[in-house]
Amino acid sequence: MMFSAQGSSRNHCSLLAVLCGGKVSDNKQKQPVSDDKPRYPFPELSSSGRLEVQLLNNPSIDEFRRVFESFEPNIVYLQGEQIADSEEIGSLFLGDVDLSTPEALCGVFGSTFPTTVYLEIPNGVKLAEGLHSKGVPYVIYWKNTFSRYVACHFRQALLSVIQSSCSHTWDAFQFANASFRLYCVRNNNIVSSNSQKQSIKPGPHLLGEPPKIDVSQPEVDMQEQEDSPENLPAVKIYDDDVTMRFLVCGSPCTLDAVLLGSLEDGLSALLSIEIRGSKLHNRASAPPPPLQAGTFSRGVVTMRCDFSTCSSAHISLLVSGSAQTCFNDQLLENHIKNELIEKSQLVHAQSSSEESKLPSSEPRRSTSIACGASVFEVCMKVPTWASQVLRQLAPDVSYRSLVMLGIASIQGLSVASFEKDDAERLLFFCKKLSKDPLLGSSLISRTPSWLVPPAPSRKRPEPYKDTKSLNCTIMEGVNGLTRPKINVAAMRPIPHTQRHKMLPFSGFSEAERYDGDQGKVNLPLAPVKQPAPVTHRKALSSSYQAQQIISLNPLPLKKHGCGRAPIQVCSEEEFLRDVMQFLIFRGHTRLVPQGGLAEFPDAILNAKRLDLFNLYREVVSRGGFNVGNGINWKGQVFSKMRNHTLTNRMTGVGNTLKRHYETYLLEYELAHDDVDGECCLLCHSSAAGDWVNCGVCDEWAHFGCDRRQGLGAFKDYAKTDGLEYVCPHCSISSFKKKAAKTMNGY
């Protein structure tokens, strides 16, 4: 780890700061404050967290050597001369001695060198190479001229990550450099106003080698591995990526490659620091992932490993690997660190999505987020363990690393260590971007995303064109008014004929599987009228329905976000795989058998494996589970499943199907937009009730809303071989067609 060669403790790092030409605080007091130029509050160099600071202002060489030998710092920070009436930083002096040559600078240290030297001086390439050749492992330097504002930002980012975490110099530099590129390079604030742009790549540089994690096998284990018949992989980590939303302090802007790349590198460096300093606390045998069990080779074991990161965040990882690796704690810990840091990109910016291409323009102002400063939203994909780490670090007041990336909120959780001065320093570099006239116009023209209502998840067909007059007639009749005399015989339900009886399920051909976009099964019945265009259904149209949904699942469910095809065109294998993955994600691993897809689900109904696919399709096509008793589970749902037979004598099958649906599919339904929210064609409501389906137009209605005489009881239509329901509109249309044929002599 960082500076361990100097014998310092794990949670301690010492810094000797040498300032040439006066105190930084003096310059801070002299900075003019005006309306045109924002204030930049220079931070004080002081001890904080894991960082202990010893400050020397313009010391002599003897004074420097005396403090250096007694203090034994891990880092020596050398700041150049502060030039009067200028934003630039000058050469390096100790007293009256000029240290602009490598020989003079190396002679100051004598025979002992620190682990890291930071040279905050312009054109310090030769000095850095001289120190590195003398044995300083890591040297940070600048190749070009720069202003004291950008130098202060980089130094503050470097020291913030050191005081927050026990980090390695390499990782700390990568983090600070990402913060520098995010706020200084992107906003063209690298050089001062009176200096010329240079062709050299701007920013600080690092001399030194990246750290390596020792994953070599012990000699005994090497001999056992050679005797093994198979070359097994060291470890494999089972973890999914999740999308996280960050609010970043700054003026709203287009999420370009520089911004996203800087945030990627900064968060990756931050997570690398946490993992590189983590410790394995516990490991226990665990069952393999259900979808991966069949692919394991002989000798592979699975472990559940509990880690604590260097900032005391706790994570748990599911790991598989050879027995030689998994039963050696130190070797297992090193392999997991190497797998997470070296062999994978930890953070991925969603640059291809629409959210990342368009600016999140609205200023989400809140005193709890970045102390009320302006912020913008960025979405990133990170591993699940990384999201757990970031969520645990955000409420920590002493953790300052997130602040230097401008991150003020993580998934709605505010970063507790964000202060007002931090916001002012970060917004100082956004002054050029905030004056862009194009940006100002986009702020006015674009509606904030949090004001846009969410897309509807359920739909209903529009009322039929001619239904209005029919409904008026029916309602007038209900209220006691007269209504036209209609031939009741023409409106009576048409009994089923022999060709309408259900047959055992034997699959459908591709040509007969679905009917258009609605996903209705093509059967040899009367022609089905195409439904009218759909409109959005009003949310929570019935308070009873809303209460029923809440009572079924009191916890809010996020959308699954899977790439599964719509349920109307989804294959059964794809559906079952998605259900298995969802159950595992929700923690219901007991419902997923070890044999995977071949044995899922393990529930048996009517001597056959439960047909989850057709059960789900039939329920969501009738408004979902919240419809309750409005669905005839035995007559309408069970008859469409492979578990049904013509000689079925099962009792209580409706309650059995409900119980299986609640166990396997209820949460899955709530996390997907598969429900076809049918509404009654008579009352245009989606409230629960006794639903019947018209056999001609395929529309749904509440049986209680149909006030025609001679309809019989609901149970006459709910039975498997019961009567076929014909809605009032189709009955009248059929009557008119028969009358027209009679008049024409047919």
Side-chain angles (χ1 to χ4, degrees):
M1 294 302 295
M2 185 183 239
F3 322 123
S4 59
Q6 300 298 323
S8 60
S9 64
R10 174 181 172 87
N11 296 323
H12 174 78
C13 175
S14 55
L15 168 72
L16 178 59
V18 180
L19 310 181
C20 301
K23 299 180 180 179
V24 178
S25 57
D26 295 337
N27 294 326
K28 178 182 66 173
Q29 299 296 334
K30 295 178 182 179
Q31 182 189 358
V33 179
S34 63
D35 295 336
D36 297 334
K37 188 174 183 180
R39 185 177 72 94
Y40 186 86
F42 284 93
E44 295 285 352
L45 280 172
S46 59
S47 300
S48 178
R50 293 181 172 91
L51 182 64
E52 181 182 358
V53 177
Q54 179 74 36
L55 186 63
L56 294 178
N57 288 295
N58 199 20
S60 63
I61 294 181
D62 294 337
E63 183 182 358
F64 171 80
R65 287 177 178 173
R66 184 172 61 255
V67 175
F68 177 75
E69 292 175 359
S70 61
F71 189 53
E72 295 183 355
N74 304 119
I75 309 175
V76 173
Y77 164 58
L78 300 174
Q79 185 189 65
E81 182 184 9
Q82 297 284 337
I83 301 177
D85 300 329
S86 175
E87 295 181 355
E88 293 185 6
I89 295 179
S91 302
L92 185 62
F93 288 87
L94 283 183
D96 297 332
V97 180
D98 186 5
L99 302 180
S100 58
T101 61
E103 294 78 11
L105 181 59
C106 293
V108 173
F109 292 97
S111 59
T112 305
F113 292 94
T115 303
T116 303
V117 174
Y118 174 30
L119 299 175
E120 195 176 280
I121 57 175
N123 306 318
V125 181
K126 292 183 178 180
L127 295 180
E129 292 175 349
L131 288 173
H132 191 59
S133 63
K134 290 294 184 179
V136 180
Y138 296 95
V139 183
I140 303 173
Y141 65 97
W142 297 71
K143 287 185 178 181
N144 55 340
T145 58
F146 51 89
S147 70
R148 57 194 177 111
Y149 300 110
V150 299
C152 179
H153 179 84
F154 173 80
R155 182 191 70 219
Q156 183 70 5
L158 183 68
L159 299 185
S160 293
V161 71
I162 293 174
Q163 78 181 40
S164 301
S165 308
C166 187
S167 55
H168 193 279
T169 304
W170 179 272
D171 295 325
F173 174 82
Q174 302 302 325
F175 174 86
N177 191 37
S179 176
F180 174 82
R181 290 188 286 114
L182 178 61
Y183 282 98
C184 301
V185 175
R186 192 172 64 89
N187 297 323
N188 298 320
N189 290 298
I190 300 95
V191 296
S192 60
S193 58
N194 53 2
S195 61
Q196 298 179 353
K197 294 183 179 180
Q198 305 178 18
S199 59
I200 303 174
K201 182 180 179 181
H205 296 75
L206 176 65
L207 281 179
E209 296 295 328
K212 300 294 183 182
I213 300 175
D214 183 19
V215 292
S216 58
Q217 296 272 4
E219 295 183 1
V220 178
D221 292 343
M222 288 291 291
Q223 183 64 32
E224 293 179 1
Q225 188 173 7
E226 291 176 0
D227 297 338
S228 178
E230 299 179 4
N231 187 15
L232 302 176
V235 293
K236 183 177 180 181
I237 301 173
Y238 300 94
D239 200 18
D240 297 325
D241 288 343
V242 296
T243 301
M244 298 196 73
R245 296 180 179 272
F246 301 89
L247 292 184
V248 182
C249 181
S251 301
C253 59
T254 303
L255 305 185
D256 53 18
V258 177
L259 186 150
L260 296 177
S262 301
L263 280 176
E264 277 185 355
D265 296 341
L267 286 173
S268 296
L270 186 150
L271 294 172
S272 297
I273 291 171
E274 294 298 316
I275 292 300
R276 202 182 299 276
S278 62
K279 280 292 182 182
L280 174 64
H281 287 284
N282 184 40
R283 59 174 174 83
S285 298
L291 301 181
Q292 304 287 336
T295 62
F296 278 12
S297 304
R298 182 173 61 86
V300 174
V301 296
T302 309
M303 292 284 183
R304 173 65 67 178
C305 302
D306 297 329
F307 275 80
S308 65
T309 67
C310 66
S311 298
S312 301
H314 298 280
I315 58 175
S316 181
L317 299 172
L318 183 62
V319 180
S320 68
S322 62
Q324 291 82 1
T325 301
C326 292
F327 291 110
N328 186 326
D329 288 350
Q330 187 60 50
L331 189 60
L332 177 61
E333 176 184 311
N334 291 346
H335 271 290
I336 292 176
K337 291 180 181 180
N338 185 70
E339 188 73 19
L340 293 177
I341 297 175
E342 304 294 340
K343 295 187 178 181
S344 61
Q345 183 180 353
L346 297 179
V347 182
H348 304 267
Q350 292 184 313
S351 57
S352 59
S353 66
E354 182 180 353
E355 289 181 299
S356 295
K357 287 183 178 180
L358 295 177
S360 186
S361 304
E362 65 279 6
R364 296 181 177 88
R365 301 295 183 95
S366 172
T367 55
S368 62
I369 305 295
C371 300
S374 61
V375 293
F376 57 91
E377 187 178 271
V378 179
C379 294
M380 294 280 183
K381 272 204 168 184
V382 301
T384 303
W385 66 263
S387 67
Q388 297 172 359
V389 170
L390 294 174
R391 284 173 172 271
Q392 295 177 59
L393 295 180
D396 189 354
V397 180
S398 63
Y399 191 80
R400 298 276 302 163
S401 300
L402 291 170
V403 175
M404 295 313 300
L405 283 178
I407 297 177
S409 174
I410 301 175
Q411 289 290 96
L413 187 64
S414 61
V415 175
S417 58
F418 221 106
E419 299 176 356
K420 184 177 180 181
D421 286 347
D422 298 320
E424 290 185 1
R425 281 190 285 266
L426 297 177
L427 293 176
F428 174 84
F429 297 104
C430 302
K431 60 183 182 295
K432 293 183 179 180
L433 191 62
S434 61
K435 296 179 182 180
D436 188 357
L438 296 178
L439 180 64
S441 62
S442 66
L443 284 174
I444 300 174
S445 61
R446 189 181 175 209
T447 305
S449 63
W450 47 272
L451 288 179
V452 178
S457 60
R458 302 185 179 186
K459 300 179 180 180
R460 67 172 186 180
E462 286 185 347
Y464 192 79
K465 296 179 181 178
D466 300 333
T467 307
K468 183 175 180 181
S469 59
L470 178 64
N471 290 340
C472 293
T473 303
I474 294 177
M475 294 304 296
E476 290 174 355
V478 174
N479 294 331
L481 301 178
T482 60
R483 59 180 179 180
K485 293 183 178 181
I486 302 176
N487 189 350
V488 178
M491 298 179 61
R492 288 176 181 172
I494 304 173
H496 276 284
T497 59
Q498 182 67 26
R499 62 175 181 173
H500 290 164
K501 289 186 177 180
M502 287 294 175
L503 298 176
F505 178 83
S506 59
F508 302 106
S509 64
E510 293 297 328
E512 299 177 350
R513 188 177 296 270
Y514 301 107
D515 179 16
D517 295 334
Q518 298 299 320
K520 304 292 183 182
V521 178
N522 277 332
L523 294 176
L525 299 173
V528 179
K529 183 178 180 64
Q530 292 295 332
V534 297
T535 57
H536 301 319
R537 185 175 62 179
K538 294 182 180 179
L540 299 178
S541 59
S542 171
S543 60
Y544 169 78
Q545 182 181 3
Q547 294 174 359
Q548 196 172 19
I549 295 175
I550 295 174
S551 64
L552 290 174
N553 190 14
L555 296 178
L557 275 179
K558 293 183 178 179
K559 295 302 177 184
H560 188 199
C562 60
R564 195 210 69 196
I567 191 62
Q568 294 85 357
V569 297
C570 176
S571 65
E572 182 173 3
E573 180 179 356
E574 182 183 6
F575 170 78
L576 293 178
R577 287 188 182 276
D578 192 56
V579 173
M580 290 173 61
Q581 293 174 357
F582 177 82
L583 292 175
I584 296 172
F585 175 74
R586 293 284 294 171
H588 305 311
T589 54
R590 61 180 180 84
L591 299 177
V592 181
Q594 295 291 334
L597 184 64
E599 300 178 4
F600 179 77
D602 55 3
I604 303 299
L605 181 64
N606 202 15
K608 297 180 182 179
R609 192 176 302 279
L610 181 64
D611 184 9
L612 284 182
F613 180 56
N614 287 299
L615 172 63
Y616 183 75
R617 287 182 55 188
E618 293 302 321
V619 172
V620 297
S621 68
R622 289 168 169 80
F625 187 81
N626 65 293
V627 175
N629 292 331
I631 299 177
N632 183 268
W633 293 81
K634 180 178 180 181
Q636 297 174 324
V637 177
F638 184 55
S639 60
K640 303 293 179 64
M641 298 170 58
R642 288 195 296 270
N643 303 93
H644 177 262
T645 58
L646 290 177
T647 58
N648 170 60
R649 292 293 183 267
M650 289 188 62
T651 58
V653 65
N655 293 329
T656 302
L657 290 178
K658 283 185 182 180
R659 186 172 65 253
H660 285 315
Y661 195 92
E662 286 183 286
T663 303
Y664 288 96
L665 299 173
L666 179 55
E667 291 185 11
Y668 184 83
E669 175 197 310
L670 298 176
H672 292 75
D673 295 327
D674 296 324
V675 174
D676 183 8
E678 299 283 358
C679 67
C680 176
L681 61 87
L682 300 178
C683 69
H684 309 300
S685 169
S686 299
D690 294 334
W691 289 91
V692 286
N693 182 251
C694 178
V696 179
C697 65
D698 206 29
E699 295 293 342
W700 289 87
H702 291 129
F703 187 77
C705 294
D706 195 338
R707 303 301 181 89
R708 293 176 294 171
Q709 298 177 0
L711 289 180
F714 173 71
K715 63 181 182 179
D716 297 331
Y717 301 88
K719 294 186 295 185
T720 303
D721 55 350
L723 301 178
E724 181 183 41
Y725 175 78
V726 179
C727 69
H729 170 73
C730 294
S731 296
I732 293 177
S733 300
S734 177
F735 172 74
K736 289 181 178 179
K737 290 180 180 179
K738 290 181 179 179
K741 290 181 180 180
T742 304
M743 293 176 61
N744 293 332
Y746 293 102

